[in-house]
Amino acid sequence: MRLPQSLSWRLGLSGALVAAVASALLGGYLYASFEQQLLRRDDVQLLGKLRQLRQLLGHSSTPELLVSQTDYLRDTMSGESNALIEIRAAPAQGGRLLLAINPPGLALPRQLPVPIGQEAGLQHLTHWTTPEGVPAAALNAWARLGANEVEIRLARLYPERGSLLADYRLRIATASLAAGGLAAALVLALIWHGLSPLRRLRAQTAAIGPHSLALRLHAADTPVELRPFVEGLNAMLSRLEQGYARLNQFAADLAHELRTPLATLTGQSQVMLSRTRTEAEYARLVDSQLQELERLNRMVDSLLFLARSEHQALAGELHCQSLSAAEELARQADYFADLAEERGLRLRCHGDAPLWAEPILLRRALANLISNALRHARSGSVIELMARTELQGDPSCVLLEVVNEGEPLPPEVLPHLFDRFYRADHSRHRDAGGSGLGLAIVRAIVELHGGSAEVRQFSEERIAFALRLPLSSRTGEWLPEREPSAPGQDLPVASRSR
């Protein structure tokens, strides 16, 4: 039989079953004890009757007393017809039957009689059952009748014992069922009261929706056992609220970013169609529109890359390999050397460290950081590309940094530089050609590798973007095949593959 799905009913039925079983076990123990005590009481009474009969026979002087006082002897036993007595002469005197009080005519058990000088005990009793199923007890003993010895065969029937025990069993069963029912009612009442915090939590959770994610469950009035659960739900709600807020902000930023180029394209098209223009004017307008379309394509590509990176993070689809940080920084410095030279900047590499990363993703992250530094670095300054291994932290990691000099940023801006579409007056602007997704892609790539991205401002003019990548056990014993570039050494431009 399948239990109901309700927790209250399950606990209530379980409590009722436990109470009924406990009551039945207790009733069984009490029944067995009662039966033993009842049997012992009857046995002690039978031994007492034998003692009285011995004393009575000891005061008689002639065998005729057995005939003249038959009713008296039976009354001495108990005054009931369930007392059976047989008195026989000793075998030396013929063993004849002197007295028989046995209305049912039952054959009394024959056993070794208790000697005259010995007090009869419980061990001398014989318990048996009549053909009709009535329990009985018997005892044989020697006694004196005047100057002679006689054998007493004493027995007693207990027809009322069966009905008494049956009534007792019925009472035990009734009490067990009543205890089970009462326990079920009490358990259900206690469970209903005990589950009231869950009902309050249900009401609180029902009130939380997309427009009320700021609400939290009250942990103060919940039991100690439920507080970790409530705290976990509140933490989950906080994450949902933050994610929902980021999603709304992302949608608003995306709409804003798309509105500007679309408005530009619409305005240019309207101007183009307002009057007849020369071929050169049409060419300029088409070229301007093509630039806007290319910017939209870059934005869409970046968004698709972010979506794919999140999918890869969930699926674990990364093809990492051992890399040299110095070689990767040198590759990027070589790639951006011409652009840096055009803007009056220099790229300088420091240090080396073993890396365990996906090459294409790592190179895109470094390229975005260096491109951002080239866009905002002060003319004539040096952009430093540094790599080192940090063994003090737990766990150990590889630190890649891109440091440049530029206009200072307000401290409240720094935590948001890696957000999607985030723009600050002194950090990113549409005129610089960025889509507002470069640093967000950097953070997505480094988090995909199990690391983190951070930004630090050492002074009013120096800012560092750092990538922390975990030091894999596969690269822990890695040694570079060449000497890393010395600190402060400008990296020579060897080749360039765009």
Side-chain angles (χ1 to χ4, degrees):
M1 179 180 177
R2 187 176 181 181
L3 292 177
Q5 296 297 324
S6 172
L7 181 61
S8 300
W9 277 108
R10 286 185 176 185
L11 294 177
L13 292 178
S14 300
L17 180 61
V18 170
V21 171
S23 300
L25 293 176
L26 178 60
Y29 171 75
L30 294 177
Y31 175 80
S33 300
F34 176 73
E35 186 179 21
Q36 292 178 1
Q37 292 298 325
L38 183 62
L39 182 62
R40 181 180 178 84
R41 184 201 65 180
D42 293 338
D43 291 343
V44 171
Q45 289 179 354
L46 187 59
L47 292 175
K49 298 303 180 181
L50 175 63
R51 190 180 307 110
Q52 293 178 8
L53 188 56
R54 274 182 167 181
Q55 292 176 356
L56 178 61
L57 294 178
H59 293 298
S60 301
S61 58
T62 61
E64 288 77 9
L65 179 64
L66 299 178
V67 179
S68 62
Q69 297 186 7
T70 301
D71 294 337
Y72 176 74
L73 292 176
R74 185 177 59 207
D75 294 341
T76 302
M77 290 299 300
S78 66
E80 299 177 0
S81 60
N82 57 3
L84 308 180
I85 305 173
E86 288 186 0
I87 300 179
R88 293 179 178 273
Q93 299 175 1
R96 64 188 180 87
L97 182 62
L98 302 179
L99 175 65
I101 304 176
N102 189 355
L106 298 176
L108 302 183
R110 294 184 179 182
Q111 54 185 345
L112 184 64
V114 180
I116 293 178
Q118 182 179 352
E119 186 72 22
L122 297 176
Q123 70 276 10
H124 298 115
L125 294 173
T126 300
H127 296 89
W128 53 290
T129 304
T130 67
E132 292 78 14
V134 179
L139 175 64
N140 292 359
W142 291 107
R144 290 190 179 277
L145 181 60
N148 301 320
E149 292 184 0
V150 294
E151 180 185 358
I152 301 175
R153 294 180 182 179
L154 181 61
R156 186 172 181 181
L157 305 180
Y158 302 101
E160 75 285 353
R161 181 184 297 174
S163 60
L164 180 63
L165 294 178
D167 181 69
Y168 192 68
R169 287 194 299 267
L170 178 61
R171 291 175 181 271
I172 289 176
T174 304
S176 299
L177 294 177
L182 180 60
L186 291 177
V187 169
L188 287 175
L190 293 175
I191 290 175
W192 177 261
H193 178 71
L195 293 181
S196 57
L198 290 181
R199 291 194 296 274
R200 291 195 296 270
L201 290 178
R202 181 182 62 183
Q204 294 173 16
T205 53
I208 299 176
H211 303 291
S212 57
L213 288 176
L215 296 178
R216 294 296 179 268
L217 304 179
H218 302 296
D221 57 346
T222 56
V224 178
E225 294 81 4
L226 291 179
R227 287 183 183 177
F229 175 72
V230 173
E231 292 171 356
L233 284 179
N234 285 335
M236 181 186 70
L237 289 174
S238 298
R239 294 191 296 269
L240 287 176
E241 182 183 14
Q242 295 172 3
Y244 199 76
R246 286 196 298 267
L247 182 61
N248 288 336
Q249 185 63 39
F250 172 75
D253 293 340
L254 180 61
H256 174 74
E257 292 295 329
L258 292 177
R259 181 179 59 184
T260 301
L262 290 177
T264 301
L265 291 173
T266 302
Q268 290 176 350
S269 299
Q270 291 174 348
V271 171
M272 183 187 304
L273 298 175
S274 62
R275 62 181 176 85
T276 303
R277 299 182 180 275
T278 64
E279 182 177 351
E281 291 176 332
Y282 281 123
R284 285 195 301 270
L285 289 174
V286 171
D287 181 68
S288 177
Q289 290 185 345
L290 182 61
Q291 292 179 3
E292 291 294 333
L293 291 174
E294 289 177 349
R295 181 175 178 274
L296 284 176
N297 284 331
R298 288 195 301 270
M299 183 185 301
V300 172
D301 290 340
S302 298
L303 291 173
L304 289 176
F305 176 82
L306 289 173
R308 287 195 300 268
S309 66
E310 292 176 354
H311 173 73
Q312 287 179 331
L314 294 176
E317 299 175 357
L318 273 185
H319 304 287
C320 299
Q321 56 183 272
S322 296
L323 302 172
S324 167
E327 293 179 357
E328 296 302 323
L329 292 178
R331 180 192 300 269
Q332 298 300 325
D334 183 38
Y335 181 85
F336 287 98
D338 287 346
L339 182 59
E341 185 177 355
E342 292 176 2
R343 300 187 178 185
L345 302 171
R346 288 186 301 164
L347 299 174
R348 181 177 298 174
C349 297
H350 298 267
D352 194 5
L355 290 173
W356 180 256
E358 207 283 329
I360 297 179
L361 295 181
L362 177 66
R363 289 163 189 167
R364 180 162 186 175
L366 292 175
N368 285 2
L369 287 182
I370 297 174
S371 175
N372 180 76
L374 291 173
R375 188 178 302 116
H376 302 290
R378 189 178 64 250
S379 179
S381 62
V382 177
I383 298 176
E384 299 186 17
L385 312 180
M386 297 182 291
R388 68 176 185 273
T389 302
E390 290 190 347
L391 302 177
Q392 293 81 6
D394 185 19
S396 303
C397 66
V398 175
L399 184 65
L400 303 178
E401 289 185 300
V402 177
V403 184
N404 67 277
E405 297 180 5
E407 295 183 7
L409 296 176
E412 63 273 9
V413 170
L414 298 180
H416 304 286
L417 291 182
F418 289 98
D419 294 344
R420 300 178 184 182
F421 298 118
Y422 183 80
R423 297 181 183 278
D425 293 339
H426 302 287
S427 59
R428 286 178 270 184
H429 193 270
R430 282 184 52 86
D431 296 338
S435 63
L437 294 173
L439 294 182
I441 291 177
V442 171
R443 183 173 64 179
I445 291 175
V446 71
E447 289 179 352
L448 187 62
H449 286 79
S452 61
E454 59 187 37
V455 57
R456 302 190 305 274
Q457 193 164 240
F458 298 107
S459 63
E460 292 185 355
E461 296 183 352
R462 286 177 59 83
I463 186 171
F465 291 85
L467 306 181
R468 294 185 181 272
L469 298 173
L471 183 63
S472 172
S473 58
R474 305 190 186 190
T475 60
E477 302 297 330
W478 178 89
L479 293 175
E481 297 180 356
R482 62 176 178 80
E483 292 295 330
S485 56
Q489 176 182 350
D490 292 342
L491 188 74
V493 177
S495 62
R496 194 167 294 104
S497 57
R498 296 183 183 270

